Amino acid sequence: VGCGTKPYKKLFEPYITSYFGLEYSPESGFRGNAADFCGDAAKLPMADECVDTILCTEVMEHIHDPESTIKEFARVLRPGGTIITTAPFVYPIHDKYDFFRYSPDGLAAIMKRYGLEIETVKPLSGTAVTLALMFNMYWFEIGFIWTKWLYPIGLVLRPLLWILCLFVNAVGGMFEKILPSNHMAFNHLTIARKI
C-alpha cells in the first residue's frame, strides 16, 4: 500500500508468488509509481482474507482516515497474515497530503481495535540521530532547494554543506551510542499479525 516504484520488490521476490502494488492515483508517488492498481487504501478492491502480507511504509501519515484504512487491512488479511508498517513520529511535513504523526503505540492502538496482535513496535532511530536528521534537513531546505533564498550561496558552498551534514550525522551517531535515548525517534516500525 503506497508502493511507489516498488523499491523492495527484488528483496522479497524470491519468497512470494504474487505482489500487488497500490497507489492513490497514477500520478502519486515521489518519483512516480509502478502500481498495479490505484485507489483508496480504505476501500481496497480485494476480497476478504485474500493476502498474506501488507507492506505499508511511509504512507500512514498521508492517509486522511487511518482508522478505516487499518480496518480495511484487517479485512483483506488472511488469518496468520502480517502487516508491516513504518510511520513518522518526529519528521517535517513533506507533502500537501501530510496529516498525522504517530507515537510509538499510535498505529498499534488502532490495529488492536481490529483484532490484530502486535508483534513489534520498534523505534528506527534514537533521539540524537533524530536531532541530527532534523538539523541536516534544515540546512538542506535553506541551502540546497532552488526556491529558497540561500540557494545561490548553497550552490557555491555545497561541498561545505555536505561536509557539515556528514559531521552532524557522525556526531548524532556518536551521541546515540554514548547516551542512548529512544523517546524521540523520527520513525517507528510496527508489525502486527491477524489472529
Side-chain angles (χ1 to χ4, degrees):
V1 176
C3 67
T5 58
K6 296 185 177 178
Y8 309 114
K9 184 177 181 179
K10 289 184 180 178
L11 292 174
F12 53 75
E13 204 164 32
Y15 310 102
I16 60 173
T17 55
S18 58
Y19 171 26
F20 301 102
L22 169 76
E23 272 292 342
Y24 186 71
S25 75
E27 296 80 34
S28 62
F30 181 61
R31 291 186 174 98
N33 70 65
D36 298 294
F37 54 95
C38 295
D40 187 347
K43 296 174 186 166
L44 296 172
M46 305 174 96
D48 293 354
E49 300 183 347
C50 67
V51 297
D52 296 308
T53 305
I54 295 172
L55 177 65
C56 183
T57 61
E58 309 312 304
V59 174
M60 291 305 296
E61 71 270 25
H62 302 291
I63 293 176
H64 72 279
D65 186 358
E67 188 86 23
S68 295
T69 299
I70 296 295
K71 181 180 179 183
E72 185 70 348
F73 288 178
R75 180 188 70 79
V76 302
L77 198 64
R78 288 187 178 124
T82 303
I83 296 176
I84 304 165
T85 63
T86 60
F89 177 49
V90 177
Y91 200 81
I93 294 169
H94 52 279
D95 189 82
K96 72 176 185 173
Y97 301 107
D98 189 350
F99 305 111
F100 298 101
R101 294 295 177 268
Y102 295 93
S103 67
D105 291 316
L107 285 175
I110 300 171
M111 290 177 183
K112 287 177 188 176
R113 286 197 283 272
Y114 296 100
L116 301 168
E117 184 175 89
I118 306 306
E119 290 192 352
T120 303
V121 176
K122 178 182 175 184
L124 297 181
S125 76
T127 301
V129 167
T130 299
L131 292 172
L133 171 75
M134 299 302 285
F135 185 77
N136 282 334
M137 292 183 84
Y138 167 74
W139 275 113
F140 181 84
E141 183 181 1
I142 66 169
F144 286 65
I145 298 177
W146 70 273
T147 57
K148 303 297 181 172
W149 67 271
L150 193 58
Y151 180 75
I153 297 167
L155 198 57
V156 173
L157 297 178
R158 188 160 288 194
L160 292 175
L161 288 172
W162 282 119
I163 291 168
L164 176 63
C165 287
L166 181 63
F167 174 76
V168 169
N169 284 340
V171 169
M174 186 175 65
F175 270 91
E176 193 96 357
K177 299 287 185 203
I178 297 169
L179 301 167
S181 165
N182 289 326
H183 77 281
M184 197 164 62
F186 71 84
N187 210 321
H188 292 93
L189 167 69
T190 305
I191 301 174
R193 188 173 303 277
K194 186 170 182 177
I195 302 167

